[in-house]
Amino acid sequence: MDSKQQLLDKSNEARELFLPHISADPVVFGFEQNELKVLLIKMNYRKQWLLPGGYVRKDEDLDEAVERILRDRAGVTGVYLEEFGVFGKKNRSEFYFEDFDETLFHKQRFISIGYYALYNPTKLNPISDEFSEKVEWIYLSQLSEIELAMDHREIIEKALMTLREKISTKPIGYNLLPEKFTLSELQKLYEAILGKELNRGNFYRKIKNLGILNKLEEQRRGGAHKSPDLYSFDEENYEKALENGLSNW
């Protein structure tokens, strides 16, 4: 079906199902090859990249809507979500649908709630919906090479800034690293988020003092150098730190 006709056909249905003027745009971060990634969809219409966002049904809470949107648009489930901002500039989304008249539901002025999510890319096989050509993980370092629609580049930048601010008050890593990891791998994650190198001794000392790690009785094998110790997250202490914040960082 022609992508324009598809939107036209869905407009009246959307008007019945969804709240007017409210949308949600989750920024799903992943970590691989010591770099941060973000999950994006390429729309059938206009062939531009977007965040896997959507609208809020009239009978659901906002958080429930974001979980459903991620599941339906990208196949993401069981993800940690946190609200981080509101985006409401005029024409932020209307211009994207300039080929349509003002009756199209999608062309109405929408104020969007931004959420950030953390997910391990190796645990996800992205599944696109009927409106999307594909869903892909894109490295943040490659974002300048692609065309992002609407204000979604601004939303991603704000999400990253928020993640950098949160890193000093809440633990990071449970949804981004494998079950077993080295301190060096955890440090690489923090460095990727912060965009700078950290002193290894200071980082190791601080992260151990948080009480969120369990040292395992095994090492990472296969390297040319000394096999480093492996760690896992202490789920109970990690959850407490998420709820109450970090006191020793």
Side-chain angles (χ1 to χ4, degrees):
M1 180 188 297
D2 176 79
S3 59
K4 285 186 64 176
Q5 188 60 49
Q6 183 185 37
L7 288 169
L8 286 169
D9 291 346
K10 291 291 184 178
S11 179
N12 288 334
E13 179 183 338
R15 202 178 301 276
E16 292 296 319
L17 282 175
F18 302 116
L19 291 171
H21 312 301
I22 300 291
S23 60
D25 283 305
V27 182
V28 184
F29 288 114
F31 181 68
E32 199 168 26
Q33 301 295 323
N34 296 330
E35 284 192 67
L36 284 181
K37 292 178 165 184
V38 64
L39 193 64
L40 297 177
I41 61 176
K42 191 172 187 179
M43 295 288 287
N44 297 326
Y45 173 64
R46 300 189 73 162
K47 306 298 182 181
Q48 292 179 326
W49 292 92
L50 289 160
L51 292 166
Y55 308 112
V56 182
R57 287 178 179 164
K58 295 177 180 179
D59 61 349
E60 66 185 350
D61 294 334
L62 181 57
D63 288 354
E64 292 174 341
V66 179
E67 292 175 359
R68 173 188 53 77
I69 289 166
L70 280 175
R71 181 180 66 250
D72 292 350
R73 301 222 67 186
V76 175
T77 59
V79 66
Y80 173 79
L81 289 161
E82 189 162 329
E83 184 182 326
F84 72 89
V86 178
F87 301 85
K89 289 181 180 178
K90 61 181 180 180
N91 296 321
R92 58 169 297 273
S93 57
E94 298 95 306
F95 180 74
Y96 180 76
F97 299 102
E98 62 179 342
D99 295 339
F100 299 88
D101 64 33
E102 304 303 317
T103 62
L104 185 78
F105 175 81
H106 311 72
K107 194 176 181 178
Q108 308 310 301
R109 182 176 182 181
F110 280 91
I111 294 173
S112 189
I113 313 302
Y115 281 74
Y116 75 81
L118 308 175
Y119 209 92
N120 189 332
T122 63
K123 296 182 178 180
L124 175 66
N125 180 25
I127 302 171
S128 59
D129 67 0
E130 59 182 317
F131 297 101
S132 308
E133 182 178 299
K134 54 185 171 181
V135 185
E136 286 188 9
W137 289 101
I138 306 293
Y139 284 109
L140 293 189
S141 59
Q142 297 175 325
L143 284 185
S144 61
E145 303 170 10
I146 67 173
E147 185 178 8
L148 276 167
M150 304 187 194
D151 56 354
H152 287 198
R153 191 179 302 275
E154 176 187 344
I155 295 176
I156 293 170
E157 290 171 353
K158 178 66 180 295
L160 180 58
M161 186 184 306
T162 303
L163 191 57
R164 286 173 174 171
E165 293 170 352
K166 294 283 187 181
I167 206 170
S168 62
T169 60
K170 291 193 175 183
I172 296 290
Y174 186 80
N175 293 351
L176 293 172
L177 292 171
E179 183 180 350
K180 301 175 183 179
F181 53 86
T182 67
L183 289 180
S184 176
E185 290 165 346
L186 183 57
Q187 181 177 340
K188 295 284 187 187
L189 170 60
Y190 272 71
E191 290 176 337
I193 293 172
L194 294 171
K196 63 180 182 181
E197 292 186 5
L198 301 172
N199 179 274
R200 184 176 69 173
N202 288 342
F203 177 81
Y204 285 12
R205 183 178 66 257
K206 288 180 178 180
I207 203 71
K208 288 179 179 179
N209 287 340
L210 295 179
I212 60 173
L213 299 181
N214 291 323
K215 184 178 179 181
L216 306 176
E217 296 299 322
E218 53 184 303
Q219 289 79 38
R220 172 81 75 223
R221 303 296 183 184
H225 305 287
K226 179 182 176 182
S227 300
D229 293 323
L230 286 171
Y231 292 79
S232 65
F233 286 111
D234 184 306
E235 292 189 33
E236 182 178 352
N237 288 343
Y238 192 97
E239 289 297 326
K240 287 180 181 178
L242 274 180
E243 183 178 347
N244 303 319
L246 299 171
S247 58
N248 299 319
W249 185 250

